[in-house]
Amino acid sequence: MTDPYKVLGVSEYDSDEDIKKAYRELAKKYHPDAYLNNPLKDLAQEKMKQINEAYDEIRRIRQSGAARTSNSSTGTSGSGYSYTVKTDFERVRLLINSGRRTEAGIVLDNVPEDKRNAEWYFLKGCVYYQGGWMMEARKYFEKAVELEPQNLEFRQALDNLAARGNYTSATADFNCSLCRICTSIICCQCVMECCDGCK
Amino acid sequence: MFGYIRPVPSELKVKEHSLYKAIYCGLCKTGGKRVSHFTRFLLNYDFVLFCALRSLILGEELKVENSRCPYSPLTKKPMVAENESLTYTAAVFAVFTYYKCIDDKTDKRGISRFPYVLLTPVARRMLKKAEKRYSGLSEKLEKPFQRLAVLEKQGETRIDAVADCFGEMLGLSASFGLDGADERIAYNCAYHIGRYIYIADAIDDLQNDDKNKNYNPILREHGDVENAKINIEKYIETLRDSMEAFLCGLNLIETRTEDSKMLCSILYNCATLGAESVCVRLNEKHSDERKEKKND
């Protein structure tokens, strides 16, 4: 087995804090969100697995005793798609996940035009993205978001494309939109109270 | 066609910048020795990037030595000693030069065609030398090149489709002779370098291509230069997407030795700051003209 300290790029004498920091940085770098739809996704997952194992190993060696923090599971969750759709799309997702984008594209092209919904545009975007056709991918993701603005998966795919040098922005944007919802609710409340007061 | 992605030297460590220059010099010298003396006039920075990528993936140990350069014979310059990735990049350079010659010879008309007619026999000789060492390389690139030629002739409007061919050419050459994860990473990284170069070139050449009536996918899509300029930001956005995908690949390459760490840092600089400065330049170039038009 490889040296867990080497995997995280730290030394045996570093403090727990430093190791945690190094781990977090690496986890951010290889997080499945950063490789959403990327053809090299499986390699990143493997890397993430190694990092998680190394971190767990170090923690075990250091006998911190306490229960594992929630950090150690960030890698394995979040990956993969939710399978709750019609069979055709389900198959396309499986194909995309295993990197067979040409076949996925053929299946998608065979879907009749009246059945092309937001998800169809999203999956088509994924196929384009995997092939490196970023321009087309963006177009299709935008269309998917336009058709179904409340779908987080589609939005995340688009945000991921727009994120530049900042791999966490996909989730940050999400928080931001939550904030926006909160503030707008508060604003509404204020206005309503004002009206009430006028009465 | 080449020479877009360069590092921003002020943001590099001094040793990294000297390594970058040493790779350039080493590549120039190796190309002169292995392929043709013309390499020295034609070489550009994108191939240095390519060489650095290949070297990083192979995990090479780089030996920098002082040796004489034919263009400043009085002083010795530090350059990377000939190694596998330098010879290979020189061969790839030869193949690309040959294809560029063929492409331009058929595209251009009148007097501008002349230098390419002269250059073609030289390029053919370069290609033969490259073939001798890496057989099968030019055959592998033949297919996407032909596809590109057909699309250009048809006047394809989707820039993704044309840039895909060029990306594939670079991707295939970077992954040549590798297997497994290395092959996939090399392909993906180089694919996006190629895609970036092609699209940046198309944006850069808008005016020239319009004047000379050359094929340009952006012009095809938007009809004329004015329309294309209004939509230019869309294309610059896609350049950034490509560099983002390149970084995803770059992050997956193992960097164990000191040399590979330096190479990785150079590539990272190129893909973030270097590529961004190109985007800014291209955007300004076209927005300046837009403003001037408004003032008139």
Side-chain angles (χ1 to χ4, degrees):
Chain A
M1 184 168 167
T2 47
D3 181 2
Y5 288 99
K6 257 190 195 153
V7 174
L8 295 190
V10 290
S11 111
E12 237 172 287
Y13 309 106
D14 280 342
S15 69
D16 285 353
E17 266 314 298
D18 286 342
I19 286 170
K20 203 169 186 173
K21 213 175 127 199
Y23 166 75
R24 283 214 174 127
E25 250 160 49
L26 286 172
K28 215 190 242 172
K29 199 161 144 187
Y30 298 108
H31 196 275
D33 283 353
Y35 284 83
L36 213 68
N37 303 324
N38 193 299
L40 302 175
K41 193 167 140 194
D42 54 322
L43 296 175
Q45 267 169 8
E46 188 127 316
K47 195 98 184 175
M48 193 73 203
K49 214 174 116 201
Q50 278 173 14
I51 294 162
N52 282 329
E53 275 167 9
Y55 186 62
D56 287 349
E57 177 77 15
I58 293 174
R59 286 179 66 85
R60 208 169 50 237
I61 293 168
R62 298 201 166 193
Q63 289 185 332
S64 55
R68 301 268 155 85
T69 53
S70 55
N71 288 330
S72 51
S73 63
T74 34
T76 39
S77 68
S79 61
Y81 293 106
S82 51
Y83 299 99
T84 50
V85 271
K86 275 172 257 142
T87 44
D88 248 2
F89 290 158
E90 216 169 289
R91 240 178 80 217
V92 171
R93 278 171 192 265
L94 279 174
L95 287 172
I96 292 174
N97 269 346
S98 53
R100 288 150 70 186
R101 64 184 152 86
T102 337
E103 286 163 82
I106 293 166
V107 176
L108 280 176
D109 287 339
N110 284 337
V111 172
E113 248 172 79
D114 53 314
K115 282 197 183 136
R116 294 183 177 178
N117 56 7
E119 189 175 13
W120 185 86
Y121 282 99
F122 165 72
L123 291 173
K124 187 90 180 165
C126 291
V127 171
Y128 273 129
Y129 185 93
Q130 279 208 345
W133 292 38
M134 306 308 210
M135 199 100 151
E136 297 287 322
R138 184 182 285 277
K139 228 185 276 167
Y140 281 93
F141 285 153
E142 272 166 1
K143 181 89 184 172
V145 170
E146 190 193 313
L147 289 173
E148 238 179 79
Q150 72 280 15
N151 190 314
L152 278 180
E153 189 187 20
F154 305 165
R155 185 166 290 276
Q156 203 174 9
L158 185 63
D159 285 347
N160 196 51
L161 204 56
R164 233 163 291 131
N166 179 8
Y167 294 126
T168 48
S169 72
T171 44
D173 278 355
F174 171 50
N175 288 338
C176 207
S177 67
L178 272 188
C179 283
R180 233 176 283 144
I181 293 169
C182 283
T183 43
S184 45
I185 288 174
I186 293 169
C187 283
C188 282
Q189 192 88 29
C190 288
V191 172
M192 295 222 298
E193 263 169 39
C194 266
C195 291
D196 263 4
C198 288
K199 250 193 244 168
Chain B
M1 198 179 233
F2 307 108
Y4 279 100
I5 315 177
R6 266 191 261 175
V8 173
S10 56
E11 295 286 336
L12 281 174
K13 280 182 186 167
V14 175
K15 62 173 178 180
E16 286 160 2
H17 190 220
S18 4
L19 179 67
Y20 182 78
K21 285 195 286 188
I23 296 174
Y24 185 90
C25 289
L27 191 55
C28 177
K29 187 158 193 174
T30 308
K33 211 156 73 183
R34 298 280 162 216
V35 183
S36 156
H37 288 291
F38 281 91
T39 309
R40 306 204 159 111
F41 306 109
L42 302 168
L43 191 67
N44 65 54
Y45 289 102
D46 289 335
F47 281 100
V48 183
L49 191 77
F50 181 91
C51 182
L53 177 68
R54 180 88 182 173
S55 192
L56 177 62
I57 286 172
L58 294 179
E60 275 175 341
E61 197 77 31
L62 299 174
K63 217 169 81 199
V64 179
E65 55 189 27
N66 281 322
S67 64
R68 281 187 209 286
C69 159
Y71 294 100
S72 55
L74 296 178
T75 50
K76 285 191 172 180
K77 276 187 169 178
M79 48 183 85
V80 174
E82 189 175 339
N83 61 19
E84 175 51 33
S85 58
L86 282 179
T87 11
Y88 179 69
T89 309
V92 171
F93 171 75
V95 177
F96 272 83
T97 311
Y98 175 72
Y99 280 135
K100 185 176 159 49
C101 274
I102 298 284
D103 189 39
D104 284 342
K105 218 172 82 176
T106 45
D107 274 6
K108 295 216 156 75
R109 276 172 217 101
I111 195 83
S112 63
R113 188 169 173 255
F114 191 63
Y116 296 103
V117 176
L118 276 185
L119 202 60
T120 306
V122 180
R124 190 165 294 130
R125 209 171 322 132
M126 285 164 76
L127 179 80
K128 273 202 186 122
K129 275 198 178 164
E131 263 297 283
K132 214 186 275 170
R133 209 178 172 100
Y134 299 98
S135 61
L137 175 63
S138 67
E139 277 156 45
K140 223 174 171 180
L141 303 187
E142 180 85 31
K143 222 162 104 189
F145 176 73
Q146 297 294 1
R147 202 148 49 87
L148 182 64
V150 169
L151 286 178
E152 287 188 351
K153 202 172 266 174
Q154 282 173 355
E156 173 66 52
T157 56
R158 288 172 310 164
I159 201 163
D160 274 338
V162 251
D164 178 67
C165 305
F166 193 70
E168 194 179 326
M169 279 172 79
L170 222 62
L172 287 176
S173 37
S175 59
F176 184 77
L178 300 174
D179 54 16
D182 281 350
E183 183 192 1
R184 290 175 53 205
I185 295 172
Y187 180 88
N188 270 289
C189 284
Y191 175 93
H192 284 287
I193 295 178
R195 185 177 186 273
Y196 184 99
I197 294 169
Y198 191 91
I199 298 178
D201 193 52
I203 299 174
D204 212 10
D205 284 349
L206 271 180
Q207 271 95 356
N208 279 339
D209 287 344
D210 186 52
K211 225 192 312 176
N212 303 331
K213 300 271 171 291
N214 282 340
Y215 168 78
N216 187 318
I218 302 176
L219 283 178
R220 284 297 163 118
E221 197 184 340
H222 295 289
D224 57 51
V225 184
E226 294 313 310
N227 233 336
K229 271 183 199 156
I230 295 165
N231 291 297
I232 215 73
E233 239 152 73
K234 188 173 80 178
Y235 295 96
I236 287 171
E237 194 66 50
T238 206
L239 288 183
R240 290 180 176 136
D241 289 340
S242 250
M243 277 301 112
E244 200 56 33
F246 170 81
L247 287 178
C248 277
L250 182 67
N251 279 338
L252 290 170
I253 304 173
E254 295 287 342
T255 51
R256 290 227 173 74
T257 61
E258 198 49 44
D259 281 345
S260 58
K261 275 182 193 139
M262 288 202 306
L263 285 174
C264 191
S265 157
I266 293 171
L267 287 167
Y268 190 83
N269 180 305
C270 288
T272 52
L273 302 164
E276 186 56 33
S277 70
V278 176
C279 290
V280 171
R281 179 178 70 79
L282 289 175
N283 205 359
E284 272 171 5
K285 182 178 171 186
H286 294 300
S287 64
D288 279 356
E289 280 155 15
R290 275 203 297 264
K291 265 180 220 149
E292 275 166 26
K293 282 266 150 58
K294 257 184 207 163
N295 291 339
D296 288 347

